[in-house]
Structure formats: structure tokens, C-alpha cells
Amino acid sequence: MKNNNKRKGFVFKTYEAEHQSPFEKLFEIFKELITHTSGDFDEAIDWLRSLDKEYKLTDENYTIDDFIEDLKKKGYIKEEVKGDGTGGTKITPKTERAIRQQALNHIFGKIKRSGAGNHKSKSPGIGDEHTGDLRAYQFGDALDKVSVTESIRNAQINNGIDNFNLTENDLVVEETMHKSQMSTVLMIDISHSMILYGEDRITPAKKVAMALAELITTRYPKDTLDIIVFGNDAWAIKIKDLPYLQVGPYHTNTVAGLQLAMDLLRRKRNTNKQIFMITDGKPSCLRLPDGQYYKNSNGLDRYIVNKCYGMAQQARKLHIPITTFMIAQDPYLMQFIKAFTKANQGKAFYTGLKGLGEMIFEDYETNRKKRIRG
């Protein structure tokens, strides 16, 4: 008998980080800083210089000034002349895309995935998403669904190579699934409380929005994503505006955000529609018919709360589920969100900032696998 010297197992060795050039190392840090500074290049570089002094990020062969020159050469920043005639440096769309991609990698890379990851209906048939499952050809199957490689293989097995002959019995087709398209509105609270109590809550919200935008535009191009910010009022912003998003001296007009979200979704042709809402505070503001604002930051105002419940019920009638990601942990606010969620028959996650992105991504993937019947 021959000795079998082949062994299977694990080999453990000291971790070796992937080689990065000095520019690549600094660029990773720069992208994070530019997100925290809402696109302010000068402030981000000031922070980078401070980190360099403390952690020795550069040496005499490659300095921060060299890094800035490389940013210019690679098209990540450009000089601009402001309205008052003074000069300045700003990031380019290339940097905005790089920031979104980094956010996607940081968040999506933490999620345990299985399968293809796309949302599908449960019924196989004539669709545009391949499942990998094969079956015998049936009359009426489209020719573009025939698996040529497997069919030829069957012909060789059944008829031999010398007398090659491809018959209908050799043909196999690959099963496909219908992909459901999803229209999503992401609402982000930009009221003043998002930076109160020494905690930066707006930056994680921005990162989630950027990552979700990058995921949809690159992996699910048939889906749509609209992003809304809400304070005293609500307005839509473009994906390219996300790195520059800042908190304002606002109250929280949740009703205005929901009204705008539903208006946007009414125009979408997709059957599947949903609203994601990231908020940390109670609704404290309404805009009255005469244009004036009704504000009350002291507790949950019954008039404002009832308007929120009414919007939740209206969204339910339109078959638009609302998923609320509640950053705050106050018991009385959690009770409000619980009642709001019940009125909509949606979902709520009571969470801090840690894990926010993973939860939103997992919920998005789950909802894409559903068919929300209109």
C-alpha cells in the first residue's frame, strides 16, 4: 500500500497586512476625516496634520504636502474661486464616489451573506436572475435560456464524440427568478439633537446613506433611492450632497418628512415601496396651513403625535411600510415609536449608533426578497 502523505488542515501564521503605498494609507484616513468635516477640505487636512504629529503617519520621504499634491494630480481635489473672490480647495465627484465606496465596504463587509444576495420572488419562471439550477428543456422555453455548455456536454455523453449529435433531449435550461424592484426613501433627522450630548449622530447616518446609495446604484440599478432630510421642514437631497450634510438649529418635523416621502413614492412605478427613517428625537414641530410653525420641545405634544400617527396610517393604506431606526433610548420615546409602528404595521429598531448600518442593510435585503402587494 502506498503511503498517503497529503494532509489537510489549517496553517496558522502571523498576520501580514496588505501592502499599501503611503498615499493609500493617508487616503483611507482622509476619506474618513472628510466625512466627519462635512466636506471641508481645510479642516480635514488640519486634522490629518494633527494625527501625523501624534502617530507619525509620514516621514521625510512622503509628507502631508506630498499627499496633497497627489490628491490634485489624481483628481480628488481641485482649486476653486469663491463668490467673494478668495480661493479655496474642494473635493471632486471622484472623491465623493470614493467616500461612498468606503462606506459601503465598511458596512457591507461586516454582514454575513449567503447566496446571491439579490431579492427575488419565490416563483421560478421567466425572469432575469439566474439561480444556477438546471432543468430539461420544455417546448416554449426561450433559446437564450438554454445552457449551451451543459447541453453540449449532455450530447457528448449521450451520443459520443465521434458521432456528435445534439437533440432536444440533450438541451437543458437554467432556471431564472423574477427580481422584484424596490423604491426606497431614506429619511434622516438633521435636528439639533443629532449633535447634542457630546455624541456625533449625523456622521453615522450619513455613512449609512452613502453606503446604501452606493449599494443600490452599483448592485441593484433597477431599484430607486431617494434621500430626505427633515428638521423644521423636509427636503430631498441628491446623493452627491451627502458628504456635505450638516445638522441645523432645527426642531423635528417628522410629519413633513413623511409627507414628502409618500409624495415621492406615489410617483414610482415599482410595486414594492418602503420608508427608512433614522431619528434620535421626538417629533416637536409642525407647519400649519397658514405657513407658521407649531413647536413644542417639552415632552410629546399630543397634537403633533396624533398627526404622526395619522401619517403612519396613511402610509399603511398606500402599502408603504415604515421602518424606524430609533437611536435614542428614552423609554417614553420608545413607547411613541412603538405606537407609531403599530399604526403603520411596520417595524422599529431601538438601537444606538453601533451596528446601525448593518441593521439597515440586512433589513433592506430582507425587504427586497418580499413582494409587497399593491
Side-chain angles (χ1 to χ4, degrees), residues 151-161 164-165 170:
S151 298
I152 293 176
R153 178 175 175 272
N154 289 342
Q156 291 176 338
I157 294 173
N158 296 333
N159 306 314
I161 298 178
F164 181 77
N165 187 24
D170 301 320

Side-chain angles (χ1 to χ4, degrees), residues 112-169:
K112 295 180 180 179
R113 289 167 287 176
S114 61
N118 279 336
H119 65 273
K120 314 174 185 72
S121 64
K122 295 181 179 179
S123 304
I126 303 174
D128 56 357
E129 178 69 14
H130 296 278
T131 67
D133 297 327
L134 300 173
R135 62 171 174 79
Y137 173 84
Q138 299 175 356
F139 178 77
D141 285 332
L143 292 179
D144 62 343
K145 303 300 180 186
V146 173
S147 175
V148 177
T149 302
E150 290 298 323
S151 298
I152 293 176
R153 178 175 175 272
N154 289 342
Q156 291 176 338
I157 294 173
N158 296 333
N159 306 314
I161 298 178
D162 295 334
N163 186 27
F164 181 77
N165 187 24
L166 181 66
T167 68
E168 182 178 338
N169 292 332

Side-chain angles (χ1 to χ4, degrees), residues 90-134:
K90 64 176 294 186
I91 62 174
T92 64
K94 185 177 181 180
T95 306
E96 296 166 1
R97 175 66 187 274
I99 295 170
R100 295 197 300 269
Q101 185 61 52
Q102 177 174 272
L104 175 63
N105 293 337
H106 284 176
I107 294 174
F108 199 69
K110 297 178 183 178
I111 301 174
K112 295 180 180 179
R113 289 167 287 176
S114 61
N118 279 336
H119 65 273
K120 314 174 185 72
S121 64
K122 295 181 179 179
S123 304
I126 303 174
D128 56 357
E129 178 69 14
H130 296 278
T131 67
D133 297 327
L134 300 173

Side-chain angles (χ1 to χ4, degrees), residues 243-366:
Y244 313 102
L245 187 61
Q246 295 181 349
V247 167
Y250 306 125
H251 286 69
T252 308
N253 192 344
T254 306
V255 170
L258 293 171
Q259 287 175 332
L260 180 55
M262 283 188 278
D263 286 343
L264 290 171
L265 290 174
R266 284 190 187 100
R267 305 171 195 168
K268 307 297 182 183
R269 295 182 179 180
N270 295 344
T271 301
N272 297 322
K273 302 174 182 179
Q274 64 181 351
I275 296 173
F276 286 166
M277 179 169 62
I278 304 175
T279 183
D280 74 326
K282 56 186 175 295
S284 59
C285 178
L286 283 177
R287 191 164 190 175
L288 302 176
D290 62 3
Q292 297 186 45
Y293 293 99
Y294 175 80
K295 302 176 182 177
N296 186 355
S297 299
N298 299 319
L300 290 172
D301 186 286
R302 181 52 52 186
Y303 178 63
I304 297 176
V305 166
N306 286 339
K307 288 288 185 181
C308 291
Y309 294 154
M311 294 303 299
Q313 292 169 347
Q314 185 177 340
R316 178 185 176 185
K317 292 177 182 178
L318 294 172
H319 304 281
I320 301 175
I322 303 171
T323 303
T324 304
F325 296 88
M326 189 68 177
I327 297 174
Q329 300 289 336
D330 306 67
Y332 78 106
L333 292 179
M334 294 170 68
Q335 287 299 317
F336 158 69
I337 292 298
K338 183 177 180 180
F340 175 85
T341 302
K342 182 178 180 181
N344 175 256
Q345 292 296 298
K347 288 183 290 184
F349 294 89
Y350 305 96
T351 174
L353 297 175
K354 187 177 181 180
L356 175 64
E358 289 90 326
M359 280 187 290
I360 289 182
F361 269 50
E362 288 175 347
D363 199 59
Y364 179 77
E365 293 284 346
T366 300

Side-chain angles (χ1 to χ4, degrees), residues 160-207:
I161 298 178
D162 295 334
N163 186 27
F164 181 77
N165 187 24
L166 181 66
T167 68
E168 182 178 338
N169 292 332
D170 301 320
L171 298 179
V172 293
V173 298
E174 187 174 356
E175 288 276 27
T176 56
M177 305 283 277
H178 288 287
K179 286 199 297 183
S180 57
Q181 297 175 14
M182 176 69 75
S183 289
T184 302
V185 173
L186 176 62
M187 296 173 51
I188 303 176
D189 185 349
I190 59 168
S191 61
H192 186 58
S193 59
M194 290 289 278
I195 55 171
L196 284 180
Y197 316 117
E199 186 174 47
D200 176 11
R201 296 168 173 175
I202 191 63
T203 299
K206 285 195 297 185
K207 288 183 179 178

Side-chain angles (χ1 to χ4, degrees), residues 55-68:
Y55 297 104
K56 308 299 181 184
L57 302 176
T58 65
D59 55 31
E60 65 276 3
N61 296 319
Y62 194 85
T63 66
I64 298 297
D65 291 330
D66 294 328
F67 172 68
I68 295 174

